[in-house]
Amino acid sequence: MTAIWKTPSPLGTIWLTGEGDALSGLHFEGQRHFCLPAAAEERRLPVLEQTELWLARYFEGRDPGFTPKLTPRGTAFQQAVWELLLTIPYGETRSYGELAALYAEGRGLRRMAAQALGGAVGRNPISLIIPCHRVLGADGKLTGYAGGNERKAALLALEGISLPRREERIDSACPIR
């Protein structure tokens, strides 16, 4: 049976779900694509305690230094995209286009649509630890975070990532000024 646990954070309540010795979900309360499993009971598992330690370190503004065991549920494509997200280091970002190119290269494809990859990023069931918040639009815009772009900006700032000011962002319709 799935275990659920809620924990406070500076950005709102976070719900954790675990199955056995692995974390299966981490969601901000109210974020898109979030619903608690029907067959779940509120109880703490060791992996949920490890995740709370990870969150405490993270919200102190430092790299937690470890990753709890994860078991995100999704399609093979989603799983591959989430694995790719795990390669983005703390304090760095990637664009959807960069990740799409990496995905295509790793599978011998000529190209991959950034929008398709973005759909998988948006369905990430383990926010923060699988760092979907570190993915930006090509022009540096905060796009597509299920927990809300205000949270995304706060998470990036916590990691020391400064976003370009609006006038510094590249205008994709007119890249030459």
Side-chain angles (χ1 to χ4, degrees):
M1 177 173 287
T2 301
I4 60 171
W5 193 257
K6 71 178 180 177
T7 188
S9 86
L11 298 177
T13 299
I14 293 175
W15 284 91
L16 307 173
T17 56
E19 296 172 22
D21 64 347
L23 182 69
S24 58
L26 188 159
H27 298 89
F28 285 102
E29 189 167 84
Q31 83 176 49
R32 283 187 315 243
H33 313 299
F34 166 66
C35 65
L36 292 172
E41 65 180 14
E42 194 166 327
R43 65 186 165 101
R44 290 176 62 114
L45 296 174
V47 71
L48 301 182
E49 291 173 1
Q50 290 172 350
T51 303
E52 284 186 310
L53 175 61
W54 189 99
L55 289 166
R57 289 180 180 176
Y58 182 83
F59 284 116
E60 288 171 356
R62 58 189 175 123
D63 184 344
F66 71 98
T67 302
K69 184 175 178 182
L70 307 176
T71 184
R73 303 277 185 246
T75 66
F77 173 67
Q78 289 170 332
Q79 296 270 347
V81 170
W82 300 333
E83 285 294 323
L84 195 56
L85 293 177
L86 285 166
T87 68
I88 305 172
Y90 179 93
E92 294 184 24
T93 62
R94 301 290 183 272
S95 73
Y96 289 97
E98 288 173 313
L99 289 175
L102 286 171
Y103 179 90
E105 180 183 316
R107 281 151 186 79
L109 303 172
R110 279 190 24 188
R111 62 183 304 270
M112 165 56 119
Q115 293 85 352
L117 184 120
V121 171
R123 290 290 186 162
N124 171 17
I126 305 178
S127 294
L128 299 179
I129 295 176
I130 299 178
C132 54
H133 63 283
R134 296 183 190 145
V135 184
L136 302 174
D139 58 0
K141 285 185 180 176
L142 300 176
T143 60
Y145 188 61
N149 284 341
E150 299 79 20
R151 276 193 186 119
K152 185 172 187 170
L155 295 170
L156 293 173
L158 186 69
E159 292 186 30
I161 298 168
S162 57
L163 297 171
R165 291 188 321 262
R166 229 178 195 32
E167 59 272 13
E168 293 174 344
R169 292 181 180 155
I170 299 168
D171 181 344
S172 58
C174 182
I176 300 173
R177 295 182 193 254

Short mmCIF file of all heavy atoms in Angstrom, two decimals, residues 1 35 37-39 52 59 68 76 85 93-94 113 126 147 153:
data_model
loop_
_atom_site.label_atom_id
_atom_site.label_comp_id
_atom_site.label_asym_id
_atom_site.label_seq_id
_atom_site.Cartn_x
_atom_site.Cartn_y
_atom_site.Cartn_z
N MET A 1 0.84 -1.17 0.00
CA MET A 1 0.00 0.00 0.00
C MET A 1 0.90 1.25 0.00
O MET A 1 1.93 1.27 0.64
CB MET A 1 -0.91 0.02 1.22
CG MET A 1 -1.74 1.28 1.28
SD MET A 1 -2.98 1.29 2.56
CE MET A 1 -4.16 0.17 1.88
N CYS A 35 -2.79 14.36 -7.44
CA CYS A 35 -3.89 13.80 -6.67
C CYS A 35 -3.32 12.67 -5.83
O CYS A 35 -2.42 11.96 -6.26
CB CYS A 35 -5.05 13.34 -7.56
SG CYS A 35 -4.66 11.97 -8.63
N PRO A 37 -3.12 9.11 -4.09
CA PRO A 37 -3.62 7.78 -4.47
C PRO A 37 -4.82 7.39 -3.62
O PRO A 37 -4.88 7.70 -2.43
CB PRO A 37 -2.43 6.85 -4.18
CG PRO A 37 -1.26 7.72 -3.91
CD PRO A 37 -1.75 9.09 -3.59
N ALA A 38 -5.77 6.72 -4.23
CA ALA A 38 -6.98 6.30 -3.53
C ALA A 38 -6.66 5.30 -2.42
O ALA A 38 -7.20 5.38 -1.32
CB ALA A 38 -7.98 5.71 -4.51
N ALA A 39 -5.80 4.37 -2.72
CA ALA A 39 -5.43 3.34 -1.75
C ALA A 39 -4.12 3.73 -1.08
O ALA A 39 -3.05 3.27 -1.44
CB ALA A 39 -5.31 1.99 -2.43
N GLU A 52 12.42 14.07 3.69
CA GLU A 52 12.30 15.27 4.53
C GLU A 52 13.67 15.87 4.84
O GLU A 52 13.83 17.09 4.85
CB GLU A 52 11.53 14.97 5.81
CG GLU A 52 10.05 14.83 5.59
CD GLU A 52 9.27 14.68 6.88
OE1 GLU A 52 9.64 13.83 7.71
OE2 GLU A 52 8.30 15.42 7.05
N PHE A 59 15.99 23.45 1.19
CA PHE A 59 15.40 24.74 1.54
C PHE A 59 16.33 25.59 2.42
O PHE A 59 16.05 26.77 2.64
CB PHE A 59 14.02 24.57 2.15
CG PHE A 59 12.97 24.26 1.12
CD1 PHE A 59 12.30 23.04 1.13
CD2 PHE A 59 12.66 25.17 0.12
CE1 PHE A 59 11.33 22.76 0.16
CE2 PHE A 59 11.71 24.90 -0.85
CZ PHE A 59 11.05 23.69 -0.83
N PRO A 68 17.25 10.31 -2.58
CA PRO A 68 16.55 9.13 -2.07
C PRO A 68 16.27 8.16 -3.22
O PRO A 68 16.24 8.57 -4.39
CB PRO A 68 15.25 9.68 -1.49
CG PRO A 68 15.41 11.15 -1.42
CD PRO A 68 16.47 11.53 -2.40
N ALA A 76 7.46 4.73 -20.76
CA ALA A 76 8.90 4.57 -21.02
C ALA A 76 9.51 5.91 -21.45
O ALA A 76 10.62 6.26 -21.03
CB ALA A 76 9.13 3.49 -22.06
N LEU A 85 16.42 14.60 -16.75
CA LEU A 85 16.32 15.71 -15.81
C LEU A 85 17.27 15.52 -14.63
O LEU A 85 17.83 16.50 -14.12
CB LEU A 85 14.89 15.85 -15.29
CG LEU A 85 13.82 16.30 -16.28
CD1 LEU A 85 12.45 16.30 -15.60
CD2 LEU A 85 14.13 17.64 -16.88
N THR A 93 20.71 25.29 -15.20
CA THR A 93 19.46 25.10 -15.94
C THR A 93 19.77 24.57 -17.33
O THR A 93 20.90 24.63 -17.81
CB THR A 93 18.67 26.43 -16.09
OG1 THR A 93 19.46 27.36 -16.83
CG2 THR A 93 18.29 27.00 -14.74
N ARG A 94 18.74 24.07 -17.98
CA ARG A 94 18.79 23.65 -19.38
C ARG A 94 17.51 24.14 -20.03
O ARG A 94 16.49 24.32 -19.37
CB ARG A 94 18.87 22.12 -19.53
CG ARG A 94 20.06 21.45 -18.88
CD ARG A 94 21.37 21.77 -19.59
NE ARG A 94 22.48 21.06 -19.00
CZ ARG A 94 23.22 21.50 -17.98
NH1 ARG A 94 22.94 22.67 -17.43
NH2 ARG A 94 24.22 20.80 -17.51
N ALA A 113 11.11 16.87 -30.81
CA ALA A 113 10.39 18.12 -30.58
C ALA A 113 10.46 18.50 -29.11
O ALA A 113 10.16 17.69 -28.23
CB ALA A 113 8.93 17.98 -31.02
N ILE A 126 7.78 13.55 -9.23
CA ILE A 126 8.66 13.76 -8.08
C ILE A 126 9.35 15.12 -8.23
O ILE A 126 10.55 15.21 -8.51
CB ILE A 126 9.67 12.60 -7.89
CG1 ILE A 126 8.93 11.26 -7.81
CG2 ILE A 126 10.51 12.83 -6.64
CD1 ILE A 126 9.82 10.04 -7.69
N GLY A 147 3.88 23.42 -10.49
CA GLY A 147 3.71 24.04 -9.19
C GLY A 147 3.54 25.55 -9.25
O GLY A 147 3.38 26.19 -8.22
N ALA A 153 10.44 30.27 -9.93
CA ALA A 153 11.39 31.37 -9.76
C ALA A 153 12.04 31.32 -8.37
O ALA A 153 13.26 31.53 -8.24
CB ALA A 153 10.70 32.71 -9.98
#
